[in-house]
Amino acid sequence: MVSRHLQGLNEKQRQAVETVEGPLLIVAGPGSGKTRVITHRIAYLITDVGIKPYSILAVTFTNKASNEMKERLQGLVGHKSNQLTVSTFHSFCASVLRRHGQHIGLDSNFTIFDEQDRMGLITTAMDEAGIDHKRFPKRAIQGIISKAKSLLWDANSLSLYQTNYLEGITARVYSRYEELLNQNNAVDFDDLLMKTVALLQNNREVLEQYHNRYIHLMIDEFQDTNVSQYALAKLLVVPPENICVVGDPDQSIYAWRNADIRNILSFKKDFPKATSIQLNENYRSTSTIIEAATQLISSNRDRLPNEIWTQNQEGSPITIHEAFNGEEEAEFVIRRIEHLIREEGVQQSECAIMYRVNAQSRMIEEACLKYGMKYRLVGGIRFYQRKEVKDLIAYLRLINNPEDQISLQRILNVPPRGVGATTIDRLLFNAKKENTTVSNLLKKLALDDTNTGDIAPRLPPRALKSLIELENLINELRQISKSSNVVELIDFILDKTSYRSYLQNKFEDHADRLENISELRNAAFSFTELGIQEDLNELLEHLALVTDLDSYDQSSDGVTLITLHQAKGLEFPVVFIIGLEEGLLPHSRSIDDPESLEEERRLCYVGITRCMQHLYLVRAFRRTFMGSSGPTIPSRFLQEIPSPLLHSTDSYKEPVPNKKNLLIGSSSSEPCLTFDTGDKVVHKIFGEGIVIKTGSHKQDNEVTVAFIGGAGIKRLDLNYADLRKL
């Protein structure tokens, strides 16, 4: 009689479940039933082979994946699942150290320091070592320490193997950082792995306890393991080496988290007796999508042969669409989803829009709001609710409206300027007591050169000085706003507050946050031709209309907005991948690095294989970067998909004129004229003027013109502005 745990499995899946002796590598392609195979194999070991649940250790990466595995096993083996060890790497290591940490000088009541705690200690270590924070950002130092620990390197090893000056500096910080951790009886997340490996390597008695307990070890998402995780796995394995690893090198996309694809690629070298089974039948996608994904990933060299296939129907061709710009890209996506809902009965929840960087969600969110499309933003908050975006908007609102106390309170100590919570509370109390505003109190402080006012003596000297400087800064920015457009004003705020440095020093994801700031500048750019005073008002009104919809329905009924990294493990009937351009996908940081470029291709592969039926690959002919619009280059990944699998929609013909375009004249089908400094020109709205500056090589579509009369100096995009030579 066939085991019930083998029923409904294909030949390869059954083979994976029934192979219970010795090392086993399961290469599981996308949509191949990986989780089902893992859970059925564990159930088979318990019910058919007779392995005690207590002797099985299953390790994965996230609590979500761990909980899902536990729930499935509960359905398969009932109460026996309670005796299994199903855990994340970090949870398992924490339990080991709680029991046995005293062998390496770690008390059982140790604290696991979170990110904020860790950065505080690194700051202290840098200060004590005399390291300049401006020259050597603490986030960069933290990243190097984390990578070193993932490689099982202590400070001495880092010093010995350093490849650049920063790593040498970091080694000094690392040494003191470890001393501070020890003084606090604390570990960081990387220590959980590193110290567990050290414990098991140096204490045979403890290691044998785990050898005697765990007969079978299973690791999910093995392609995402780093050096320390793989070292731990090899330590736990004893003859006959019952280790089963499941993964797919084609879906290895976390090198930035120190994942090492070489672990899965070299598994059979480390375990020569290993059996390799390929799960390559895809149950998720149409054959067209599978063929496209297969052809794309075949360009990578660092992979294991595992050509996925499917018995599913051919399905519709993959749609390629080229929009004119990012705004039209977003509109195309939302209008096409509307069409699918109306004509084919697709549900909003069946659609996903995927992108490389978080900042790309901004235009999609705006298009959703414009057309009344419900959406869910996965793994983040709405664009205009992201901290760095709200901070800059608060500065802009305060410049525009001095009585905006909400904005003032938000930026009183952002970036940090020594104004603590106690000082802020005291300001609010005095404002209420005197029936005035905090803004007025700051004005009084700034005007009172002797600092003898009622409030001044009750404030710490540093805070008092900072508040006066802030009031002067806001006044300076208001003056600047009278002669600068809104993009230039944002730049002045960033420079005068050192906001970029603040993000770089405080946040691990500072690169994403800086990209969000760039995207805010992009949003502001379309308002720069309205006039110096009008552009700020119009921008703030536009932003208010968006942010007023914070309570917009985010139920499960909405379209999913998600990064490609976050989409791994999910599936949708309809998928749009946007921004398929060189510099976005693949990302600009990877183009000159062959290994990074292969990871970008794997990322695109992951996105494509999330799709079940309808796949759309979308790009923009022009895109705005850092406040300027420029042409893009189609992603090389588009060229790696065979053309017979693709269907191109009509590419852009003309950008659809919006309200702003109509004020300055919509673009012409004729190519833009070239202008030189000194050319006399005429504009239908601003009149006659003289070109005083032409764009750089990155902004060759822009000119700056000094107009005669009251229009003043304007920076114009020649793709939109109807500008002619006289």
Side-chain angles (χ1 to χ4, degrees), residues 217-232:
L217 170 62
M218 296 189 65
I219 303 175
D220 190 18
E221 302 290 355
F222 187 65
Q223 78 280 346
D224 295 332
T225 56
N226 60 28
V227 170
S228 63
Q229 289 162 334
Y230 192 21
L232 174 64

Side-chain angles (χ1 to χ4, degrees), residues 600-666:
E600 291 290 302
R601 185 175 286 107
R602 292 193 293 269
L603 188 60
C604 187
Y605 174 83
V606 165
I608 290 173
T609 55
R610 299 312 91 196
C611 185
M612 301 167 70
Q613 298 172 2
H614 301 292
L615 177 62
Y616 295 82
L617 305 178
V618 189
R619 63 171 295 261
F621 173 71
R622 302 186 68 84
R623 195 171 294 276
T624 302
F625 296 101
M626 302 297 291
S628 66
S629 177
T632 67
I633 300 174
S635 171
R636 68 192 69 193
F637 301 152
L638 293 174
Q639 301 171 6
E640 295 171 1
I641 300 174
S643 56
L645 304 175
L646 306 175
H647 166 70
S648 295
T649 63
D650 290 337
S651 298
Y652 75 91
K653 295 179 181 179
E654 281 290 320
V656 178
N658 56 29
K659 179 181 177 182
K660 308 297 184 296
N661 300 145
L662 294 174
L663 288 174
I664 62 173
S666 57

Side-chain angles (χ1 to χ4, degrees), residues 32 404 566 665:
S32 61
D404 188 339
Q566 295 160 343

Side-chain angles (χ1 to χ4, degrees), residues 143-209:
I144 294 172
I145 292 175
S146 180
K147 184 173 183 178
K149 288 188 175 186
S150 77
L151 296 171
L152 302 174
W153 290 0
D154 59 14
N156 289 331
S157 298
L158 179 59
S159 180
L160 181 64
Y161 299 119
Q162 61 177 286
T163 59
N164 54 54
Y165 186 66
L166 179 58
E167 290 181 354
I169 293 293
T170 301
R172 293 165 52 193
V173 179
Y174 185 2
S175 179
R176 181 55 183 157
Y177 172 68
E178 286 299 292
E179 292 175 356
L180 293 171
L181 281 173
N182 291 334
Q183 289 176 10
N184 286 274
N185 186 36
V187 298
D188 60 26
F189 287 108
D190 297 309
D191 281 331
L192 292 173
L193 290 158
M194 186 177 180
K195 289 184 178 296
T196 300
V197 171
L199 168 66
L200 298 181
Q201 285 177 334
N202 298 311
N203 194 296
R204 188 67 191 178
E205 183 179 346
V206 174
L207 180 61
E208 286 180 355
Q209 290 184 37

